[in-house]
Amino acid sequence: MPAIRLLSPRLANQIAAGEVVERPASVVKELVENALDAGASRVDVDIEQGGVKLIRVRDDGFGIGEADLPLALSRHATSKIESLDDLEAVSSLGFRGEALASISSVSRLSLPSRTEVQEAASRVEVEGRDMDARISPAAHPVGTTVEVRDLFFNTPARRKFLRTEKTEFNHVDECIRRQALSRFDAGFTLRHNQRVIQSLRPAANPLDRERRIGALCGQQFIDNAVVIDAEATGLRLWGWVALPTFSRSQADLQYFFVNGRVIRDRLVAHAVRQAYRDVLYNNRHPAFVLYLEVDPATVDVNVHPTKHEVRFRDGRLVHDFIFRTLHKALADVRPDDHLRGAVAQSEVREGAAMAVPGSIGTAASTGGAAESAGGAFSGRSWGETGSVFDRSPAGAPGATSQHQHQWQARDQMGFYQSLNEGGGLDRGALDRGALDRSGHAATAPPHELAAGQPTPPVDSEAEPPLGYAIAQLHGIYILAQSRQGMIVVDMHAAHERITYERMKRALEAQDLKSQPLLVPVSLAVSQKEAALAESHVTELQQLGLQVERIGPETLAIRQVPALLRGADTEQLVRDVLADLIENGQSDRVEAVTHELLGTMACHGSVRANRQLTIPEMNTLLRDMEATERSGQCNHGRPTWTVVTLSELDKLFLRGR
């Protein structure tokens, strides 16, 4: 039987290096985090051969004293954690005290440093072979420089797992990108083989921050971004989220920071994904740069050696806060916001000297003080838009000027049927509420219809974001003219979104009705799921589900939501229980209900080849400007696009 023995410090450090030093980018991450914790306002990173030959990180922080230099390379030695209270409320990026010791065990490390009170700097050198620290005088300004040479020189097996020089440097570049996004108050310089790759100055004001975001994430991202800044219950969320039209095929532009630390957390990812659920489909991924500020005592960062995972004390509170903030911000987006991004991108492509006013960052603050993107139109209620697609009797009981406009499904579907049959629309009859018993609009003489406007009015200052309709193309698209150029609208997709949003508001105004099952459904589950269903009876009833525990591993489903009586009841309850176990809450019933409403809206919207009049087309445009998430239909397709004047001029070589 082998005896138990203590590991040598060298071997222990090399084992720890297996977790800390995965590749050169891991070294850069640890060293840059130490520089930022040291109060650096400038960080210079030099890389050679992808980081295998040389990694040099220089900062202007407060430095390390000569007496502390040997201890800086020792295991579990740090100036950031002193007691258990400090560990429970970590406010620094690095705190384990393993980084420098692990790096020095697999490389040749040199660390010169100087503090403000020292007259001269000192240098400590360590090679991974013997691990003996050597102190010598050096010439160095206030701050610290860490040089890591010949990475994995004493562990050649590690080098076999490294990728090409280009791949390894791409990981280093991504690491610097994340650190530059996390700290706007610090400047960063990245060089690879003596060539400058990144040179970022400190960003002191919002404009400089947006410039840094544009330099690191692309100008198209900032042109299509919604600015977020919300605070509640001790939490603050700010940053930029991209419009749904700027979705990506890969999740390569997603940065989330908690107290300045970049993380990849399932709870956060689920909250963001749920916020985009109504506008993003077909395996598309949103783009965002978000910052969450919380009390350090309410989040545990000591979960994984890479420190990319965190645990929140109240995960449900954080999840709801992120979801509701982003959900509201995306709902406040109007066509005017999409136009700004489209025009800004067109200006960039054309190389224009002057940018479109307001194109950098779309102000849609979630704190309730955001300016309405739709101008005078988005400030109106549904009953005030003068919509020929939505008009209730003026004297109807319960009529209100709020956004929760009252409507009857029978009248709504009857009107859609009249459109599908090709019948005309009587604006006067709708104003009087003259609908017959079948739901069809009464006919009226042609002179009673609203007068068409084939061309926009002379006063262009009062022009709405989507302009004015001038024609219908192939019975499918609406052609509109605006100051920005030509706008093409998919009338079915746009009307589908308008109808869908109305149905959701009408459903929210009413209680979710449940329907008892004639024969209760017996469901076999685990003991954990059965206990969870028993303890969350009230939450399940709020979802329209009545579930009783009739055995240690058996549940009985007695009531389901009336709208979902045709759905797979067993799978629905299983999905709800799975969400409760993972996230502490479930929106599965809401998702299935909204899917059903989306299908109803799709079938009830105006069909292709239905010839609309000019007033009808203009009314549809006005409704789009006042409707939440009108840029996408219920299935994630865009509802409209714009071709700017500069792009039209380019097509016909005007001015060339």
Side-chain angles (χ1 to χ4, degrees):
M1 182 176 180
I4 301 176
R5 60 180 67 86
L6 290 175
L7 296 177
S8 63
R10 171 189 168 190
L11 189 57
N13 290 334
Q14 288 187 337
I15 293 176
E19 298 179 351
V20 178
V21 188
E22 180 183 1
R23 59 192 337 145
S26 305
V27 177
V28 175
K29 171 184 176 296
E30 296 289 347
L31 298 182
V32 173
E33 287 181 349
N34 284 338
L36 295 176
D37 287 337
S41 61
R42 187 76 192 178
V43 180
D44 298 328
V45 182
D46 293 282
I47 304 295
E48 291 185 9
Q49 296 183 9
V52 176
K53 182 180 180 180
L54 172 67
I55 300 175
R56 181 187 296 114
V57 179
R58 185 170 184 173
D59 65 78
D60 58 351
F62 47 72
I64 304 175
E66 182 179 0
D68 295 335
L69 281 179
L71 198 59
L73 303 180
S74 301
R75 291 192 69 197
H76 307 310
T78 178
S79 61
K80 305 169 187 179
I81 300 295
E82 186 176 356
S83 62
L84 183 60
D85 295 336
D86 297 336
L87 186 61
E88 292 180 351
V90 178
S91 58
S92 57
L93 297 177
F95 57 90
R96 296 180 183 274
E98 292 184 352
L100 291 179
S102 301
I103 296 170
S104 63
S105 67
V106 293
S107 65
R108 296 183 173 92
L109 187 143
S110 173
L111 192 154
S113 183
R114 176 189 171 188
T115 62
E116 292 183 352
V117 298
Q118 290 181 329
E119 297 181 356
S122 300
R123 181 193 308 270
V124 59
E125 295 178 337
V126 173
E127 289 190 5
R129 197 171 296 280
D130 49 12
M131 297 293 296
D132 292 332
R134 300 182 300 273
I135 307 295
S136 60
H140 195 276
V142 176
T144 304
T145 298
V146 182
E147 290 187 2
V148 179
R149 296 183 179 273
D150 302 330
L151 188 63
F152 301 137
F153 79 98
N154 56 348
T155 52
R158 292 276 187 91
R159 289 203 174 191
K160 296 181 180 180
F161 293 94
L162 297 179
R163 305 300 181 182
T164 62
E165 178 180 333
K166 183 177 183 299
T167 301
E168 294 298 337
F169 177 74
N170 289 338
H171 286 281
V172 174
D173 188 23
E174 179 65 19
C175 176
I176 297 298
R177 189 185 308 271
R178 294 174 179 177
Q179 299 296 340
L181 291 175
S182 68
R183 292 288 297 272
F184 291 99
D185 58 338
F188 295 86
T189 301
L190 175 62
R191 302 180 184 89
H192 186 217
N193 296 333
Q194 310 299 322
R195 184 168 65 93
V196 177
I197 306 299
Q198 297 282 1
S199 183
L200 304 172
R201 297 180 298 176
N205 52 64
L207 182 59
D208 291 339
R209 293 181 179 180
E210 290 185 348
R211 288 175 178 171
R212 176 176 288 193
I213 295 291
L216 296 175
C217 302
Q219 188 60 37
Q220 288 188 351
F221 170 78
I222 204 66
D223 290 337
N224 291 273
V226 176
V227 179
I228 304 292
D229 194 355
E231 188 173 358
T233 62
L235 305 175
R236 185 195 177 201
L237 182 67
W238 62 279
W240 298 261
V241 294
L243 296 172
T245 52
F246 192 73
S247 61
R248 310 192 43 105
S249 59
Q250 297 179 348
D252 57 347
L253 194 53
Q254 298 181 350
Y255 300 97
F256 197 94
F257 302 88
V258 176
N259 294 340
R261 184 189 311 277
V262 60
I263 67 164
R264 295 190 297 266
D265 188 76
R266 291 185 300 175
L267 183 143
V268 171
H270 183 268
V272 175
R273 187 168 60 252
Q274 291 299 100
Y276 277 89
R277 180 182 58 192
D278 236 9
V279 291
L280 220 56
Y281 296 87
N282 299 325
N283 298 322
R284 302 292 293 181
H285 300 274
F288 55 86
V289 179
L290 293 172
Y291 304 85
L292 180 65
E293 298 178 2
V294 300
D295 185 2
T298 62
V299 56
D300 184 13
V301 300
N302 194 20
V303 178
H304 194 270
T306 60
K307 298 185 287 289
H308 284 164
E309 299 179 11
V310 297
R311 294 293 183 270
F312 298 98
R313 177 177 297 178
D314 194 346
R316 184 170 183 176
L317 175 65
V318 174
H319 181 281
D320 290 347
F321 175 69
I322 297 175
F323 166 73
R324 298 185 184 280
T325 301
L326 299 184
H327 185 74
K328 184 179 185 301
L330 295 174
D332 290 340
V333 173
R334 294 296 186 268
D336 193 22
D337 303 310
H338 292 271
L339 277 175
R340 294 176 184 179
V343 173
Q345 293 184 47
S346 176
E347 294 289 342
V348 171
R349 289 192 295 266
E350 292 296 320
M354 299 292 292
V356 177
S359 63
I360 300 179
T362 301
S365 175
T366 61
E371 193 173 307
S372 178
F377 296 90
S378 60
R380 298 179 181 178
S381 66
W382 285 101
E384 299 170 335
T385 56
S387 171
V388 296
F389 282 83
D390 179 27
R391 181 67 68 118
S392 295
T400 177
S401 61
Q402 302 298 323
H403 288 279
Q404 289 79 12
H405 188 76
Q406 301 294 329
W407 57 276
Q408 299 292 330
R410 181 186 64 185
D411 299 338
Q412 191 91 353
M413 294 304 174
F415 170 67
Y416 294 145
Q417 186 178 355
S418 70
L419 291 179
N420 296 333
E421 293 176 354
L425 187 63
D426 182 359
R427 186 181 183 95
L430 289 175
D431 288 336
R432 298 186 300 269
L435 294 173
D436 59 20
R437 291 181 177 269
S438 63
H440 292 63
T443 59
H447 66 272
E448 292 189 15
L449 295 175
Q453 298 179 349
T455 58
V458 179
D459 186 13
S460 62
E461 295 296 330
E463 182 185 71
L466 293 181
Y468 296 95
I470 58 177
Q472 188 178 18
L473 304 177
H474 300 287
I476 302 175
Y477 303 102
I478 297 175
L479 181 62
Q481 175 181 331
S482 69
R483 286 175 293 177
Q484 285 77 17
M486 179 179 67
I487 296 175
V488 182
V489 179
D490 186 337
M491 66 181 191
H492 173 74
H495 199 200
E496 185 180 0
R497 169 59 69 173
I498 294 172
T499 307
Y500 177 49
E501 293 296 332
R502 292 177 186 173
M503 289 182 173
K504 288 197 302 182
R505 286 193 296 272
L507 183 63
E508 292 175 358
Q510 305 173 2
D511 293 333
L512 188 63
K513 298 181 179 179
S514 300
Q515 176 177 334
L517 297 178
L518 184 62
V519 179
V521 178
S522 180
L523 184 63
V525 297
S526 64
Q527 291 186 0
K528 182 179 180 181
E529 292 174 332
L532 184 70
E534 188 178 15
S535 60
H536 289 75
V537 174
T538 304
E539 289 83 351
L540 294 175
Q541 288 179 350
Q542 293 176 354
L543 299 176
L545 295 170
Q546 182 179 351
V547 182
E548 295 181 1
R549 186 176 185 179
I550 59 177
E553 297 181 351
T554 307
L555 298 176
I557 306 173
R558 301 188 182 278
Q559 290 185 0
V560 296
L563 288 174
L564 306 179
R565 57 183 179 271
D568 189 348
T569 305
E570 294 187 10
Q571 188 60 41
L572 177 64
V573 173
R574 293 185 186 276
D575 292 340
V576 170
L577 295 177
D579 291 342
L580 289 175
I581 293 175
E582 183 175 358
N583 304 312
Q585 62 180 0
S586 177
D587 56 356
R588 193 61 58 104
V589 174
E590 181 184 4
V592 178
T593 303
H594 286 180
E595 184 178 356
L596 177 61
L597 295 181
T599 303
M600 296 171 58
C602 180
H603 291 289
S605 299
V606 58
R607 295 294 182 180
N609 298 321
R610 164 70 174 99
Q611 296 298 321
L612 301 181
T613 64
I614 294 295
E616 292 174 348
M617 289 186 283
N618 281 322
T619 301
L620 180 61
L621 297 180
R622 303 294 80 82
D623 284 346
M624 290 177 61
E625 294 162 354
T627 301
E628 300 176 349
R629 311 172 189 90
S630 60
Q632 294 78 32
C633 73
N634 308 344
H635 307 94
R637 297 190 296 109
T639 58
W640 63 277
T641 187
V642 59
V643 183
T644 62
L645 282 176
S646 60
E647 293 173 339
L648 291 174
D649 293 340
K650 184 179 179 181
L651 290 175
F652 296 97
L653 302 180
R654 285 179 54 88
R656 305 294 175 90

